[in-house]
Amino acid sequence: MFFHRQELQFHAKPEKPDAVFARKLQEVLGGQYGEITVAMQYGFQSWNAHIPGKYRDLLYGIGAEEFGHVEMLATMIAQLLDDAPIGIVEGAVQDDPTVAAIVGGTDPQHAIVAGAGARPVDSNGNPWTAGYVTASGNLLADFTANANAEMQGRLQVARLYHMTDDKGVRDMLAFLLARDTMHQNQWIAAAKELQEEGHELLPVPSNFPLSKEHRDVSYQYINFSNGEHASEGSWASGPTPDGKGEFTYVAEPPAGVPAPKPTRPDSRLYGTTDVPNAVEKVAGRVQDKLHRE
């Protein structure tokens, strides 16, 4: 059950309208690593969780908080669009040439589609998609993905912080940065705790029998580049993080194996093959006849 309280977790009020920045802010609302994504991601992870207790409660709580962040950003975007002119205005293109080349100016759909309101899209107007959501049912895999989502999200909010001098906007972004700091640390701590308690281990999935994989290449770093410095990393020698082996370094890929012959699809799919076209045509008729019978 969800219950909505008509208040915000933190202030979301700009000093003045700024339709151009409203478009930029859409990225951390409806982009790949925006608040809609993490809200839905943590929600589906909680609903798909197979273990009761602290881990599911963690997901429930943070998922609900992220829905609140969606509301904060949508509220801020709407206020940034308040009294925004609907025609061509001076300054619609940013002074920063790099940003101007990428973003351009205002998002016309803010006015045309949403009537000066926020939309579930990124800063280029691409609709939010459920394809951004990771909810595998494996908590170690999911918590690791969550840490990445929070890192990417915090990175984008930090960049946005330097794209405005509006104190009200910066105040809200500073709050979101702080919560992203907490959430990064929280997911890393939760992933560590899962392993310490033996619920999940590396490699994920840890309950798949290692004997069924080709163990001779399980810990090889195979250098598929003409760069040489990868051999200097801890992934090229020494113990592996899962504690089950030792890294080795292979300077260049070993010889491969012959590729299989090209496939030959059903004649009725009309793919071009090595069979003469007239033969394919007859084969298609025969297949149709056999199918009908």
Side-chain angles (χ1 to χ4, degrees), residues 112-158:
I112 300 168
V113 177
R119 302 178 60 234
V121 301
D122 67 14
S123 55
N124 281 328
N126 299 308
W128 182 84
T129 171
Y132 297 153
V133 170
T134 298
S136 70
N138 183 293
L139 292 184
L140 183 53
D142 285 352
F143 289 177
T144 304
N146 294 351
N148 173 66
E150 295 289 348
M151 291 174 187
Q152 297 291 344
R154 190 172 190 275
L155 182 62
Q156 293 178 358
V157 173

Side-chain angles (χ1 to χ4, degrees), residues 117-271:
R119 302 178 60 234
V121 301
D122 67 14
S123 55
N124 281 328
N126 299 308
W128 182 84
T129 171
Y132 297 153
V133 170
T134 298
S136 70
N138 183 293
L139 292 184
L140 183 53
D142 285 352
F143 289 177
T144 304
N146 294 351
N148 173 66
E150 295 289 348
M151 291 174 187
Q152 297 291 344
R154 190 172 190 275
L155 182 62
Q156 293 178 358
V157 173
R159 288 168 174 165
L160 283 164
Y161 186 92
H162 295 292
M163 294 182 186
T164 181
D165 57 3
D166 188 299
K167 293 180 180 179
V169 175
R170 279 193 163 189
D171 193 32
M172 185 197 72
L173 294 179
F175 177 80
L176 292 177
L177 285 164
R179 294 309 295 158
D180 287 344
T181 295
M182 169 57 190
H183 295 164
Q184 285 183 37
N185 283 277
Q186 156 200 296
W187 294 125
I188 290 171
K192 182 172 181 286
E193 197 162 323
L194 272 172
Q195 295 175 79
E196 290 173 345
E197 294 179 348
H199 291 296
E200 290 292 341
L201 301 169
L202 292 175
V204 174
S206 55
N207 53 353
F208 182 85
L210 292 178
S211 61
K212 294 185 180 296
E213 70 182 40
H214 290 283
R215 293 293 287 167
D216 56 323
V217 296
S218 291
Y219 303 115
Q220 285 184 352
Y221 177 87
I222 304 174
N223 189 17
F224 280 87
S225 169
N226 62 2
E228 300 176 355
H229 296 291
S231 62
E232 301 165 6
S234 59
W235 54 83
S237 64
T240 58
D242 64 11
K244 298 179 175 67
E246 291 279 327
F247 285 122
T248 58
Y249 178 79
V250 180
E252 58 184 42
V257 298
K261 294 180 179 179
T263 57
R264 186 178 294 163
D266 188 307
S267 299
R268 294 166 297 175
L269 295 178
Y270 307 111

Side-chain angles (χ1 to χ4, degrees), residues 12-25:
K13 185 173 179 58
E15 289 185 310
K16 58 185 182 300
D18 184 343
V20 175
F21 193 78
R23 176 178 178 180
K24 297 179 188 178
L25 205 55

